[in-house]
Amino acid sequence: MNNTIICSLPDLMRYSFLQEFSKNIFSFICVLDVLVFLAASIGNTLTLVALRRSQSIHPPSKALFCSLALSDLCVGLVVVPLHFGLMLATIVEVPSLYCALVSPTTVIAFVMASVSLMPTTAIAVDRYLAFCLKLRYKDLVRVKRVVLVLALEWLIGILWAGLWVHSRSASHTVGALANRLCTMTNFVCYLKIFFGLKQRRTFPIPVQSQLESNQIMFFNILIYKKSAKNMFIIYSIMLFCYVPYSLALALQFAYGVNSSTFFILSISYTIILVNSSLNPFVYFWRIREIRGQVLEMFKKLKSHGHINS
């Protein structure tokens, strides 16, 4: 029985494109994949456990963080190993292995990319609503509604991956448009928040608002400013990782698929994978509740180790 995997012409052509470049580049990417796998797997697992234990984070915000951390964890555990296999197949020159991995790698990556990008946009909208609604925010933004939005985002990701199976060019076009839409939504939300906070500093608070408890309102504004800044940092890092891929797609649309444009697209795709390992470091650095829970877990492990020894 012949178990040889037959390569489609587009996959075989892309494999041949990569063979034109130095194997050292792909060896470096393999090392990077291992580091991303470890950082994304451990970091996002700790983040999910910390979010589960935290009682002070607002439940809708916790749901958004959990979705983002879960998608990053899936990238680390599933997509990165598959990508490692693709690079390894390129290095050892096994086209059948490359062809066997390229479709599942791309399909799963499309799902994970969408459920990483869209929750970041949902977080920006959430922070903007918190600024606009203020005291009414907790009454209108509830966990069930947020979970429904997140479920819809996962469904969109699956449909987008199915579109890639049907038409690669159509999926790239839809992905590029969705990327621009999410980027613009993030930009507009944070821009409005920035100017809104700046206007609040410029003009005095009305007397009526002060009667609603000055100290609590002022304290909440301080917390809000910090949370908005944290979310903007996460968004900026994701933007930094996703923009090269969007530019590479535009380059491919302009000049067609050739060895140079496909190589640039492959490198920019690797940068997107790196993003899944960066977010946990931002959480530990910027979000006190998550950092505190993680440190508490390490303290318990350390004390447990002392007891056993």
Side-chain angles (χ1 to χ4, degrees), residues 270-285:
T270 305
I271 298 173
I272 290 179
L273 298 182
V274 173
N275 178 250
S276 63
S277 66
L278 298 179
N279 284 335
F281 291 102
V282 179
Y283 303 148
F284 304 154
W285 168 42

Side-chain angles (χ1 to χ4, degrees), residues 185-200:
T185 303
N186 276 280
F187 178 76
V188 170
C189 286
Y190 285 117
L191 193 66
K192 286 182 174 292
I193 290 171
F194 173 77
F195 282 112
L197 291 173
K198 186 176 180 181
Q199 187 179 28
R200 188 181 182 89

